[in-house]
Amino acid sequence: MVLPPFDPPNYFELRDWWQKYREGDIRRLILEVQTQRYALAELRTMSETVLRQAADDAPEMLQKGRTLPKLHRRIEAELRRGGRVYPESKAVHEDGKRRSRPWTGNKDDR
């Protein structure tokens, strides 16, 4: 199926729709959109790690036109298209920098 061009709903629109529409199917769609955005954000982090490792271990994989850089750019483009993934957080890391989610102290949280 080919989709027509459209502006994706942003985080705040999804939040408003969540409050406005109580129907199960609409809420399921909202949850699905947000779940996919969380997954894209996680994939972006993973691709950044892979790109850093490739730069050290196999720099030829980062040459123009190769799959890893293309994948990373595609993930970045989708995240930009959808806008903010997480709500603004008041959480502050121990180093004084803002974080997109509360820091629990686990090294896996970084």
Side-chain angles (χ1 to χ4, degrees):
M1 167 171 46
V2 177
L3 298 176
F6 67 97
D7 292 327
N10 65 41
Y11 175 81
F12 298 105
E13 287 174 310
L14 291 174
R15 273 186 32 178
D16 290 344
W17 294 347
W18 183 264
Q19 296 300 318
K20 185 176 180 180
Y21 301 106
R22 303 290 182 184
E23 295 86 11
D25 287 343
I26 293 174
R27 285 199 160 187
R28 280 185 32 221
L29 285 171
I30 293 167
L31 289 171
E32 182 60 27
V33 168
Q34 194 61 23
T35 297
Q36 294 306 310
R37 289 180 181 176
Y38 287 151
L40 277 172
E42 186 176 351
L43 288 171
R44 176 184 52 195
T45 301
M46 293 170 150
S47 72
E48 289 168 349
T49 300
V50 169
L51 287 172
R52 280 193 301 274
Q53 290 173 346
D56 292 340
D57 301 337
E60 67 278 0
M61 294 187 76
L62 302 179
Q63 293 173 352
K64 187 173 182 176
R66 298 298 295 247
T67 305
L68 282 177
K70 282 182 182 178
L71 174 64
H72 184 72
R73 285 192 304 272
R74 178 72 168 112
I75 292 169
E76 283 288 331
E78 283 302 307
L79 283 168
R80 278 193 307 275
R81 191 177 76 77
R84 174 185 295 215
V85 175
Y86 299 100
E88 179 95 13
S89 176
K90 304 278 189 267
V92 176
H93 187 272
E94 62 189 12
D95 64 7
K97 295 180 181 175
R98 286 185 160 260
R99 298 182 58 84
S100 60
R101 57 189 170 151
W103 186 62
T104 65
N106 295 330
K107 66 177 181 157
D108 297 330
D109 252 358
R110 297 179 190 172

